[in-house]
Amino acid sequence: MHPEKGEERKSLKQRLALKRSLAKETLAEFLGTYIMVVLGCGSVAQAILSRGLFGGIVTINVGFAMAVVVAIYATAGISGGHINPAVSFALCVFGRMKWFKLPFYMGGQFLGAFAGAATLFGIYYDGLMSFAGGKLLITGENATAHIFATYPAPYLSVVNAFADEVVATMLLITVVFAIFDSRNMGVPKSLQPIVIGLLIVSIACSLGLNSGCAMNPARDLSPRLFTALAGWGFEVFTAGNNFWWIPVVGPLVGAVIGGLIYVLLIEIHHPDPDPDIKAEQSEDKPEKYELSVIM
């Protein structure tokens, strides 16, 4: 007797499916961050390489935010769609995710961002080569390194740059905690990625002038490392008065401050719900670590 085709397909699926939830979550974070970088940095590439003909600051801000939205929709059901080490770190600090998961989440995020940068480089290789006569430049009117990572404005000091990243990420995490707080106004689960996208558009339109508001260590460091290896050189780490560490450390600090602000000013002041209502809500709510977000 030969097995039915349906049984063969089911057996193949069972063989391919990951058994450990942590492996699934790590793979989901890899994919989500990969999608975000390809589409988000792609919106920057399109604007720069067309010299403004096919995009500008509006398409970049909206394009990056929508990249976050679709990345969350693609992965939130498995890992929560964090796609940002600062988000995962804040969730661990405030007891919404177990600490042992953090290295796996961050590993998937950093690797996904690197792979996304490599993919985008391949897609726009001919455009990059023709943009400045084959030169891959970090500064000047023909610079292309800022397609992949953020760089400070010429006037920006180190202290101001660090404060900029801290405040932007602080606001991001404060509002993200509010979005997922069922005792606040609450946002329907299926619409949460959309609201996060609107939040990112708001922050980028308000605080993007100084250095582009990375708010995400993986989104900035991994593509920067790729550009160093792909031809721009390791000057990408010394440019802007050694700016590279600010989009890495600043968001981690800002994420903790943002979470603390929300917990101290809003969350702890909610009245305790009726025990019966609380039990009913807990059946429908996802695990605490299933908070999703960002650029």
Side-chain angles (χ1 to χ4, degrees):
M1 294 290 290
H2 294 286
E4 296 294 330
K5 290 183 178 179
E7 293 178 0
E8 290 180 355
R9 286 196 296 269
K10 183 178 180 181
S11 178
L12 178 62
K13 177 182 176 182
Q14 288 175 337
R15 288 197 298 268
L16 292 176
L18 294 171
K19 300 298 188 293
R20 295 181 178 275
S21 60
L22 188 56
K24 299 175 187 178
E25 292 160 12
T26 302
L27 195 59
E29 287 299 305
F30 173 91
L31 177 61
T33 314
Y34 173 86
I35 292 171
M36 177 187 64
V37 169
V38 172
L39 298 182
C41 292
S43 68
V44 184
Q46 180 167 291
I48 290 174
L49 296 179
S50 69
R51 297 190 185 276
L53 187 61
F54 287 92
I57 188 61
V58 174
T59 62
I60 290 172
N61 288 345
V62 174
F64 224 121
M66 291 304 99
V68 173
V69 171
V70 297
I72 295 173
Y73 271 122
T75 61
I78 300 297
S79 67
H82 301 178
I83 60 174
N84 185 342
V87 173
S88 300
F89 181 64
L91 297 181
C92 287
V93 170
F94 292 96
R96 288 157 165 81
M97 186 172 83
K98 295 178 180 177
W99 279 101
F100 79 87
K101 290 189 174 188
L102 184 62
F104 295 94
Y105 269 64
M106 292 180 69
Q109 292 156 358
F110 279 106
L111 289 174
F114 188 91
T119 298
L120 186 63
F121 178 77
I123 291 172
Y124 278 119
Y125 179 80
D126 290 345
L128 287 163
M129 290 300 104
S130 65
F131 186 74
K135 297 178 180 179
L136 298 176
L137 304 175
I138 301 171
T139 59
E141 62 180 5
N142 289 324
T144 48
H146 58 303
I147 288 174
F148 298 90
T150 60
Y151 290 85
Y155 60 79
L156 198 63
S157 67
V158 171
V159 173
N160 198 168
F162 187 77
D164 179 70
E165 279 295 328
V166 169
V167 171
T169 314
M170 176 191 76
L171 292 171
L172 175 72
I173 299 301
T174 299
V175 180
V176 164
F177 272 39
I179 291 169
F180 290 93
D181 184 354
S182 61
R183 291 186 293 171
N184 205 321
M185 288 188 67
V187 177
K189 187 175 181 180
S190 61
L191 294 179
Q192 288 168 354
I194 298 292
V195 178
I196 290 170
L198 294 173
L199 167 62
I200 294 170
V201 170
S202 176
I203 294 173
C205 289
S206 303
L207 302 177
L209 177 63
N210 285 335
S211 61
C213 281
M215 300 184 289
N216 185 332
R219 167 265 177 276
D220 202 84
L221 182 59
S222 290
R224 191 184 302 274
L225 177 60
F226 174 80
T227 57
L229 299 173
W232 281 267
F234 280 85
E235 290 80 8
V236 297
F237 288 99
T238 58
N241 197 18
N242 299 299
F243 174 80
W244 72 271
W245 65 272
I246 292 175
V248 177
V249 179
L252 297 175
V253 175
V256 174
I257 295 174
L260 188 63
I261 287 173
Y262 188 77
V263 169
L264 292 180
L265 299 187
I266 302 295
E267 189 174 284
I268 64 173
H269 302 293
H270 290 312
D272 290 331
D274 182 84
D276 294 332
I277 296 176
K278 186 175 182 181
E280 183 179 334
Q281 288 178 337
S282 65
E283 295 177 1
D284 299 327
K285 284 178 63 180
E287 294 296 325
K288 285 185 175 182
Y289 70 81
E290 290 184 358
L291 295 181
S292 39
V293 72
I294 90 194
M295 196 164 86

